[in-house]
């Protein structure tokens, strides 16, 4: 081939990489963050442990992030930073979890809880969250592929938003996070003028594995090139004190924990069977009981610190075990739990 033709051919391939999927990546790394209120601090602890202790920084340079509820807010905070700036991203998230107070996110109605229960759409007024997100979180979004999920209140169906829905529109990004984290009865539902949205976990799952895989397929040719890490934001056990000692809020919290655990273990099992070629690397569930919350975002500093520290500890333990070990352990735990529900199999 003549030099001029060779140069022209090379330039043509170079241009194709920017105008099509002709040039694909060798691997796509995806991070999936569950919803769970304050327990999102555990997610940040895990990420901090991985990012600051890995021997190969590329292992945690995520191309795709999916999140629901608090997972969407953590994910969108991470997505402000491009690949290669993971330490800056996790320092940013860590500082926000350590500095944020209740007043930054919500306040009581003038008439207190009674007004919230009887005259308002939620127990608490989380309008302050809009200014907080605008000033603190979403200053420079759209550095990675990100999908956040919410629930259509009218239909009960899952609805997703991604960076293409807001591009550089910070307000649109903020409202996507508000839609995903609008916990019914606790925080206000949100509307775009046409549809009403509530917390993404209420559509049946708070773990969006499928969209992580779908987004990665935009970057790689085969599913065996997809590496998935999942961080649950809940407890693995329901060893609690008798319900006779629970107040109304604790009963609601307990209900949410059971609902979330049932749906998310089922979602994980379904994902493993639906995407058999995907590499499920680290799947994290707290090794110790996470602190209870009076409301979804309590921001008690001692609890936040405890969850962050536990996340770091668990991240280091998972790395020491090696890729795939935690994923299989959670798979077996999920399978046992679902068998007890579906087949009434009660074996240890």
């Amino acid at each position: 081939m003549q030099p001029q033709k060779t140069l022209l051919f090379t330039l043509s391939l170079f241009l194709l990489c920017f105008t099509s999927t002709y040039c694909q990546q060798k691997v796509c790394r995806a991070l999936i963050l569950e919803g769970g209120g304050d327990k999102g601090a555990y997610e940040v602890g895990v990420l901090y442990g991985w990012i600051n202790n890995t021997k190969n920084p590329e292992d945690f340079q995520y191309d795709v992030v999916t999140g629901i509820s608090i997972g969407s807010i953590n994910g969108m905070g991470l997505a402000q930073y491009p690949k290669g700036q993971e330490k800056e991203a996790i320092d940013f998230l860590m500082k926000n979890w350590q500095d944020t107070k209740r007043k930054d996110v919500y306040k009581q109605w003038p008439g207190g809880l009674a007004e919230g229960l009887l005259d308002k759409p939620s127990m608490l007024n989380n309008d302050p969250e809009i200014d907080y997100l605008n000033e603190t979180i979403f200053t420079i979004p759209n550095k990675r592929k990100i999908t956040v999920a919410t629930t259509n209140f009218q239909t009960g169906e899952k609805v997703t938003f991604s960076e293409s829905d807001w591009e550089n529109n910070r307000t649109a990004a903020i409202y996507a996070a508000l839609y995903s984290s609008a916990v019914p009865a606790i925080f206000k539902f949100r509307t775009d003028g046409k549809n009403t949205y509530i917390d993404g976990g209420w559509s049946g799952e708070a773990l969006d594995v499928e969209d992580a895989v779908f987004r990665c397929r935009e970057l790689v040719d085969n599913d065996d090139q997809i590496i998935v890490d999942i961080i649950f934001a809940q407890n693995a056990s329901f060893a609690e004190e008798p319900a006779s000692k629970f107040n109304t809020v604790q009963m609601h919290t307990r209900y949410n924990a059971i609902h979330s655990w049932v749906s998310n273990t089922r979602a994980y099992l379904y994902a493993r069977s639906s995407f058999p070629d995907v590499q499920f690397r680290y799947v994290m569930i707290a090794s110790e009981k996470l602190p209870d919350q009076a409301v979804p975002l309590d921001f008690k500093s001692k609890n936040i610190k405890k969850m962050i520290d536990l996340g770091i500890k668990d991240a280091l333990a998972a790395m020491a075990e090696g890729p795939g070990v935690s994923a299989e352990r959670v798979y077996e735990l999920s399978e046992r739990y679902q068998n007890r529900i579906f087949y009434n199999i009660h074996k240890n």
Side-chain angles (χ1 to χ4, degrees):
M1 186 179 291
Q2 296 178 359
Q4 288 182 335
K5 291 184 176 179
T6 302
L7 179 60
L8 182 62
F9 179 72
T10 302
L11 287 173
S12 297
L13 288 180
F14 182 76
L15 289 172
L16 277 171
C17 287
F18 291 93
T19 59
S20 71
T21 58
Y22 184 87
C23 295
Q24 297 284 63
Q25 294 184 185
K26 291 183 178 180
V27 67
C28 176
R29 295 178 178 86
L31 174 66
I32 297 156
L33 300 172
E34 188 195 7
D38 270 5
K39 295 180 176 64
Y42 174 77
E43 297 175 342
V44 171
V46 171
L47 289 171
Y48 187 92
W50 285 342
I51 290 167
N52 285 286
N53 292 280
T54 181
K55 295 180 180 179
N56 182 11
E58 289 187 0
D59 285 345
F60 300 100
Q61 291 180 0
Y62 296 106
D63 301 280
V64 172
V65 183
T66 66
I68 292 179
S69 198
I70 196 61
S72 72
I73 294 175
N74 280 339
M76 293 177 82
L78 176 63
Q80 294 181 94
Y81 295 83
K83 289 172 60 176
Q85 291 187 13
E86 279 66 36
K87 287 194 174 183
E88 292 85 346
I90 195 58
D91 287 346
F92 167 80
L93 287 172
M94 184 76 78
K95 185 177 187 304
N96 275 282
W97 272 100
Q98 292 168 338
D99 292 350
T100 301
K101 307 300 179 186
R102 292 188 197 180
K103 64 181 177 60
D104 297 322
V105 178
Y106 61 86
K107 60 185 178 181
Q108 295 274 6
W109 297 102
L113 291 179
E115 181 180 358
L117 289 169
L118 299 175
D119 296 326
K120 300 293 183 181
S122 60
M123 289 175 59
L124 300 167
N125 179 0
N126 65 317
D127 282 345
E129 185 179 4
I130 298 173
D131 289 337
Y132 170 74
L133 294 175
N134 186 51
E135 296 170 3
T136 310
I137 302 293
F138 303 115
T139 54
I140 47 170
N142 308 324
K143 304 302 182 184
R144 306 173 196 239
K145 291 180 180 291
I146 177 163
T147 297
V148 301
T150 184
T151 301
N152 185 309
F153 184 76
Q154 287 94 336
T155 66
E157 296 175 333
K158 170 185 167 185
V159 179
T160 59
F161 297 90
S162 71
E163 75 282 354
S164 62
D165 292 305
W166 57 75
E167 296 183 355
N168 292 314
N169 184 335
R170 190 160 63 239
T171 299
I174 289 167
Y175 271 84
L178 285 172
Y179 297 156
S180 183
S181 57
V183 182
I186 305 296
F187 292 155
K188 293 171 65 175
F189 61 78
R190 299 290 170 175
T191 179
D192 61 5
K194 180 180 178 181
N195 297 302
T196 299
Y197 301 104
I198 57 174
D199 190 289
W202 290 73
S203 59
E205 63 180 57
L207 202 67
D208 191 7
V209 182
E210 60 274 19
D211 282 299
V213 174
F214 298 155
R215 298 303 305 275
C216 270
R217 285 175 177 173
E218 299 170 9
L219 299 174
V220 296
D221 295 313
N222 302 303
D223 279 6
D224 60 9
Q225 297 169 283
I226 300 173
I227 298 172
V228 166
D229 291 337
I230 301 174
I231 309 178
F232 283 75
Q234 61 178 290
N235 297 309
S237 170
F238 294 116
E240 301 276 1
E241 60 186 281
S244 59
K245 297 183 180 181
F246 281 20
N247 60 28
T248 301
V249 173
Q250 289 171 320
M251 287 296 293
H252 186 263
T253 300
R254 172 73 167 181
Y255 159 75
N256 284 341
I258 294 173
H259 173 268
S260 180
W261 183 242
V262 172
S263 62
N264 288 339
T265 53
R266 188 171 298 160
Y268 180 51
L269 291 178
Y270 187 75
R272 290 287 298 262
S273 63
S274 299
F275 309 116
D277 296 327
V278 168
Q279 302 176 55
F280 287 86
R281 185 175 58 170
Y282 296 114
V283 179
M284 305 298 298
I285 296 181
S287 61
E288 301 173 19
K289 184 178 180 298
L290 297 172
D292 292 325
Q293 307 153 276
V295 293
L297 291 165
D298 216 2
F299 295 113
K300 290 183 178 178
S301 58
K302 66 175 183 178
N303 289 343
I304 297 299
K305 183 180 186 305
K306 178 178 180 180
M307 289 187 282
I308 288 173
D309 290 346
L310 180 59
I312 295 171
K313 172 188 168 184
D314 288 353
L316 296 177
M319 293 172 73
E321 290 178 322
V325 177
S326 59
E328 289 306 310
R329 180 167 54 249
V330 176
Y331 179 83
E332 292 172 2
L333 181 65
S334 300
E335 189 174 46
R336 265 198 319 272
Y337 188 81
Q338 291 298 327
N339 281 342
R340 289 173 180 173
I341 294 173
F342 194 78
Y343 298 109
N344 198 28
I345 297 174
H346 293 272
K347 295 180 180 180
N348 294 327

